[in-house]
Amino acid sequence: MTRKDEQAGQAAPAGAASAEAVEPVTAEWTRHAAEGVLLDGFHALKHALRFGARVPVAVTTDRLAVRELAQSLAPDLLDVLDGLLREVPETTLRGLVPRAHPTGVAALALRPSAPGWGGDGDGVPGPGAGTQEGAPLVVLDNPRNLGNVGAVVRLAAGAGAAGVLTTGDLDPWHPAAVRAGAGLHFAVPVARRQVGRLPRRPLLAFDPEGDDLRSVPLPPGAMLAFGSERHGLTDALRARADHLVALPMRPQVSSYNLATSVAMALYHWMARPS
């Protein structure tokens, strides 16, 4: 028997997915790819599942490694992940996503529709599960950096904000924003609205010329609006604002990072006397 014959007769490595097993997984991925939300990595999938995302397809290059990770970081999801994840070769994963995550996990989730979030009478999502009554709604006015948008979504989810709205042309559900948000777009309502369609709530807009935030009471359910780091608030948002407020800042420092500004404002709300 030649060496070639010996190699042909060798068994496939344990756990390796056959072409027949991979084909229906890739077909399901293709079916949902156009409208699905890419969950890039274990932590994004973990968060999305915890907050009720509908995930029709999820893949990994190593089911055993993911199970060990889940036992440590998400034991509450072990059974769900066991039933959901399908193992594929690394070459298949690289063909499905623009950049394979180090955890070797990727999934597609169905983007929630606005009517499913509830609302306050104007088609804008109301407070989600786990959100305190009167929680503020974060508004990002014409943001330009998708990574910042995702970071703000992550902050809003952790702080229990009522949601995140963006104005302008960037989609807050862009894959780069979802990646930066670590799957927490499913933990808090996230949508895009133009200034004229913002909900009917008090709007406090952050501007260096505004009143010190520490001296301004936050109305229940207020919107907290932040301009882009380079250009600040748009004229339309400034005209819509009920009050201009400013974050305390050392003289000669020009600005904070957008996500830092949102974190400071949300902490001010969280630290208010009960």
Side-chain angles (χ1 to χ4, degrees), residues 247-256:
L247 294 167
M249 187 184 302
R250 179 182 177 183
Q252 299 182 330
V253 175
S254 58
S255 68
Y256 295 118

Side-chain angles (χ1 to χ4, degrees), residues 138-216:
V138 176
V139 178
L140 302 182
D141 186 28
N142 196 30
R144 309 318 303 157
N145 185 293
L146 289 163
N148 278 339
V149 173
V152 168
V153 169
R154 194 169 183 173
L155 281 165
V164 176
L165 295 180
T166 67
T167 70
D169 56 356
L170 290 189
D171 180 7
W173 284 85
H174 186 282
V178 175
R179 182 185 181 101
L184 286 165
H185 280 62
F186 294 91
V188 61
V190 178
R192 179 169 48 176
R193 297 285 186 272
Q194 296 312 313
V195 173
R197 293 190 58 223
L198 291 176
R200 298 179 294 274
R201 303 181 184 186
L203 193 158
L204 279 65
F206 285 78
D207 183 88
E209 302 303 318
D211 296 324
D212 191 315
L213 176 64
R214 294 169 294 184
S215 67
V216 179

